[in-house]
Amino acid sequence: MDLTFHIGIDDTDSPRMGCTTYVAALLVGRLQDLGCRFTDYPNIVRLNPNIPWKTRGNAAVSLRLLCQERSIDSVKEATLSIVKENSDLTYDKTDPAIAFLEGDVPAELSEFSKKVIQDIVSVAEAKRLAAKFNIEFNLIRGERGLIGALAAIGETLQGDHTYEIIAYRTPGNRGSKRRVDERSVIQMDSKTNPLTFNNYDYESKRVLITPHGLDPILYGIRGENPEALLQAQNMLTVDEEVERWVIFRTNHGTDSHLRRIVSVSQARPFRPVVVQGRVAAKPRTVTGRHVIFSINDDTGRIDAAAYEPTGSFRKAVKGLIEDDVVEVYGGVRKGSAAYPRTVNLEKIRILKLAEHTVLENPRCPKCGRRMESAGREQGLRCRKCKLDMRDAKKVHVALGRTIKETLYIPPAKAHRHLTKPLSRYGREKTNAPRSMIENWHSP
Ligand SMILES: [Zn+2]
């Protein structure tokens, strides 16, 4: 009899090597050899990016299968050995974890996943859930990875989701410069966007699909559907061997980490939030690179910061003045004696621009020159026309604004994995896909 079976894996990464998605890619072939059938693309679930003890990309993966009951033990053994062989245990912050769930995903586990993506949960909470739902788990060193392994199983991506096709390098090439032609990336981007996104940063002229580290990823292309990704992959000029490639389904580019809160006082450290407020102190540039301002509402006040890597986004932020009404998006950084609580800006929406005026003398009705004071309580005078206006007073003159009532997002290179790019607005999905395409991984 076939069993519904879920595998969650977290935290095999280190800055030096390894990548949790690669472990999943290796398992794709291995588990099919054991007679399992995939019921979904492997899922990459990005967790709360503001957790201070996160792994490099804070990514967990899950594999969803139909397996024969008698092969379950071999499936578990294969998973354990591939995770062990491919985890960088020389890095002391790597705490790989694997979780196995038989049967359907319980609603309570899905709730737990939402919390792991938006908030902070304890290892104790994860253990309680594992016990309640009979989820078997393996902790290869520490316990922290259990949270992500469970969250990957529980987040079934029923709402908005995207896809990523990831190609991996052969072992001999890892560590060397990735040979993916820049012009072919730009061409692929222009032909496939908006069905793909964040391929290239035009502001800094940087290829975004290739990482720079020692990890096995050659490139990863993100997009709205598997067909667009296959098409995009075919447009690349790649001058090195691809070991394997797999299409994943993910919460990349969905903003699923951001939670709307109704007041500034609810912005708690390490939580990604969306909150509205009034600009209480206009932007100032600190150390010549970062732009910081404050917002408030009836419940309190908080700083918001656009850091140097957000590039031209800072220009929009600098255009704010007191009393503008805004909605800020981003993770909350804990305050200290030296720095107040701060929202690290991922986006900003200008809801209402305040009127920006200065008090000036009016212009002369005859010649249009700016009038001058004629002396104390003497009204105003035009020196040229010799015109005296005893009752004239200074007037409010509206100054132009450099920003509009709209949404501002930093350039692609500054996006978090979870940040929804502008091109995805209006493309949000509300259902999981019905069927998988035939060729979702390399032969
Ligand atoms: Zn005049």
Side-chain angles (χ1 to χ4, degrees), residues 211-365:
H212 302 280
L214 303 178
D215 60 85
I217 294 182
L218 178 57
Y219 57 79
I221 310 171
R222 295 173 179 191
E224 300 295 333
N225 63 60
E227 293 84 356
L229 295 184
L230 286 178
Q231 195 190 5
Q233 173 168 260
N234 284 334
M235 292 178 190
L236 295 181
T237 307
V238 177
D239 191 24
E240 67 172 82
E241 201 186 331
V242 171
E243 186 196 76
R244 67 189 69 233
W245 57 264
V246 174
I247 294 178
F248 293 87
R249 206 161 70 83
T250 94
N251 61 354
H252 291 156
T254 62
D255 273 354
S256 63
H257 59 313
L258 296 169
R259 188 169 48 182
R260 191 170 286 275
I261 54 174
V262 296
S263 68
V264 164
S265 63
Q266 289 180 3
R268 293 159 62 210
F270 312 126
R271 274 77 168 180
V273 299
V274 181
V275 65
Q276 295 185 5
R278 191 171 287 275
V279 176
K282 68 175 188 194
R284 59 190 195 280
T285 301
V286 299
T287 63
R289 298 180 297 144
H290 314 307
V291 181
I292 296 175
F293 62 97
S294 305
I295 62 167
N296 67 6
D297 64 11
D298 297 340
T299 68
R301 176 176 170 132
I302 193 167
D303 273 5
Y307 294 110
E308 198 268 340
T310 61
S312 60
F313 175 69
R314 292 172 300 167
K315 201 171 150 199
V317 171
K318 273 189 211 165
L320 293 168
I321 60 169
E322 280 173 31
D323 290 333
D324 282 343
V325 181
V326 297
E327 186 167 78
V328 298
Y329 299 64
V332 179
R333 203 185 59 193
K334 199 175 158 185
S336 66
Y339 301 98
R341 233 170 4 132
T342 303
V343 177
N344 294 346
L345 287 179
E346 291 175 34
K347 310 177 171 183
I348 187 168
R349 190 186 289 280
I350 320 270
L351 298 171
K352 183 99 183 68
L353 288 172
E355 200 144 359
H356 195 200
T357 60
V358 287
L359 216 47
E360 281 184 344
N361 292 337
R363 291 184 181 279
C364 165

Side-chain angles (χ1 to χ4, degrees), residues 124-198:
E125 203 172 333
K127 282 184 163 172
R128 188 187 61 75
L129 268 186
K132 180 169 178 183
F133 294 110
N134 208 11
I135 299 170
E136 187 183 326
F137 59 85
N138 282 280
L139 305 174
I140 291 165
R141 190 162 48 202
E143 297 187 323
R144 192 89 70 189
L146 177 62
I147 296 171
L150 292 188
I153 293 177
E155 175 50 274
T156 55
L157 302 167
Q158 296 302 302
D160 195 20
H161 58 271
T162 62
Y163 295 83
E164 178 162 1
I165 189 166
I166 304 182
Y168 299 93
R169 320 182 76 185
T170 55
N173 283 329
R174 292 178 200 163
S176 66
K177 187 173 158 28
R178 288 164 175 79
R179 294 194 287 275
V180 178
D181 181 62
E182 178 173 350
R183 273 176 314 175
S184 75
V185 175
I186 296 171
Q187 223 165 46
M188 175 274 280
D189 180 64
S190 71
K191 291 212 172 101
T192 61
N193 84 64
L195 293 182
T196 63
F197 55 88
N198 289 12

Side-chain angles (χ1 to χ4, degrees), residues 41 165 226 230 233 245 247 436-443:
Y41 303 87
I165 189 166
L230 286 178
Q233 173 168 260
W245 57 264
I247 294 178
M436 296 168 72
I437 61 167
E438 206 57 32
N439 49 335
W440 56 273
H441 58 85
S442 52

Side-chain angles (χ1 to χ4, degrees), residues 61-111:
V61 301
S62 59
L63 306 172
R64 307 184 193 280
L65 310 151
L66 280 175
C67 301
Q68 290 177 313
E69 202 163 353
R70 60 181 163 77
S71 61
I72 292 291
D73 285 343
S74 319
V75 166
K76 290 176 182 171
E77 271 167 39
T79 306
L80 194 60
S81 77
I82 288 184
V83 168
K84 274 187 177 159
E85 281 162 27
N86 291 278
S87 296
D88 184 3
L89 294 172
T90 61
Y91 183 66
D92 65 5
K93 282 184 184 149
T94 301
D95 291 331
I98 308 166
F100 300 115
L101 169 72
E102 278 179 27
D104 293 333
V105 175
E108 197 178 333
L109 186 60
S110 295
E111 286 304 308

Side-chain angles (χ1 to χ4, degrees), residues 364-369 382-387:
C364 165
K366 280 168 89 176
C367 73
R369 275 167 56 117
C382 174
R383 197 180 283 253
K384 189 178 167 205
C385 308
K386 310 276 187 250
L387 178 73

